[in-house]
Amino acid sequence: MSPVSSANSGPYTCVARNSVTGNNSSAVMELIVIELITEVSVNHTPAQPILNDNLSLTCDVSGTVDSMHWLKDGQPLSTDDRITLSGENSTVSFSPVLLTDNGTYQCTASDPVSQLNSTGYRLDVNYGPEHVSITGPASAVKGSTVTFTCSAYSQPSCEYMWYFKGKEMAKGSQYKIPAVSTNNNGGYTCVAWNSVTGRNSSAVKNLVVTDPNGSASLASGHAVEVAIAVLVLLLCVSG
């Protein structure tokens, strides 16, 4: 038989017959054809691993497999109540997946005559945004330039949007006001959004605009209201 395939696996019987004695005898040989392992790959479900969600890694093999085992960063994978193996070690399940699971995973498939490792699968768990913060001044002199910078812990990197008095002002991690005025008094909100986790978080930074002499500036409408209040008070006292 040349070449052999898995279809040739099975018992083969040889019968010996003697034409003079009329006797015969036989023997049986079992043939097992092993298909060499030609490809090993690691697939993952779901497509995007997200912190505290479940994740499965599956070892897909072309060829006859006698055994499989897993490596993380080149070392045998440790299992526990959270990280389990199933399907004759073909699947690793994380319930749930954590940041400590980040690393490079390989599956090793073996048969009696060969062994093959998969290409390394790099696991980077997506998370966030967390701990959103805004850096920048809490006060600024009228006419000066103010720059706020927003940051967050996130994988992958976040998208940022800036809001002032309920209105979207800009996109990006920085928001710059070229020349502040009394109209810029108030709270600035940065919303960080992770397109993979679908989550968002925000932070607020308050800005007080001061006059060059150091006193806090009031918006023109507020200044008029104060002036009227003072005038009324003076009239009441004089009356």
Side-chain angles (χ1 to χ4, degrees):
M1 294 178 290
S2 179
V4 294
S5 68
S6 58
N8 298 119
S9 293
Y12 287 81
T13 303
C14 173
V15 178
R17 180 187 297 268
N18 187 315
S19 60
V20 175
T21 64
N23 296 329
N24 64 67
S25 185
S26 65
V28 177
M29 172 68 74
E30 183 78 21
L31 176 64
I32 300 174
V33 179
I34 298 171
E35 293 185 9
L36 293 179
I37 298 171
T38 58
E39 184 179 1
V40 181
S41 61
V42 175
N43 293 308
H44 52 96
T45 305
Q48 296 288 357
I50 296 175
L51 179 65
N52 292 324
D53 285 356
N54 292 339
L55 173 71
S56 294
L57 303 181
T58 302
C59 186
D60 292 331
V61 182
S62 295
T64 301
V65 181
D66 186 58
S67 65
M68 285 183 283
H69 67 273
W70 290 85
L71 304 174
K72 178 188 178 184
D73 297 327
Q75 300 298 319
L77 177 65
S78 298
T79 58
D80 52 28
D81 291 341
R82 186 179 61 84
I83 304 174
T84 58
L85 297 173
S86 60
E88 297 182 338
N89 292 351
S90 64
T91 300
V92 181
S93 298
F94 301 84
S95 304
V97 68
L98 304 177
L99 294 180
T100 54
D101 298 320
N102 283 343
T104 300
Y105 291 80
Q106 288 178 284
C107 172
T108 300
S110 304
D111 61 27
V113 295
S114 65
Q115 176 177 295
L116 191 63
N117 292 337
S118 69
T119 301
Y121 163 70
R122 176 66 195 181
L123 173 60
D124 288 309
V125 178
N126 299 290
Y127 67 94
E130 300 174 355
H131 308 298
V132 181
S133 63
I134 300 173
T135 57
S139 62
V141 176
K142 187 188 299 183
S144 64
T145 298
V146 169
T147 301
F148 293 126
T149 301
C150 191
S151 62
Y153 293 99
S154 177
Q155 170 63 36
S157 298
C158 289
E159 298 178 25
Y160 299 96
M161 290 160 285
W162 293 89
Y163 294 87
F164 181 61
K165 295 180 179 178
K167 179 181 178 183
E168 183 178 324
M169 304 301 292
K171 289 180 175 19
S173 61
Q174 285 194 334
Y175 177 54
K176 184 176 182 180
I177 307 173
V180 295
S181 68
T182 54
N183 293 328
N184 297 119
N185 276 315
Y188 291 80
T189 301
C190 170
V191 177
W193 180 62
N194 186 320
S195 60
V196 174
T197 66
R199 298 166 186 162
N200 64 71
S201 188
S202 62
V204 178
K205 183 77 171 182
N206 287 310
L207 177 66
V208 176
V209 179
T210 62
D211 285 323
N213 61 14
S215 61
S217 296
L218 296 172
S220 58
H222 291 162
V224 171
E225 291 174 4
V226 171
I228 292 173
V230 171
L231 179 59
V232 171
L233 179 61
L234 289 175
L235 289 174
C236 289
V237 170
S238 63

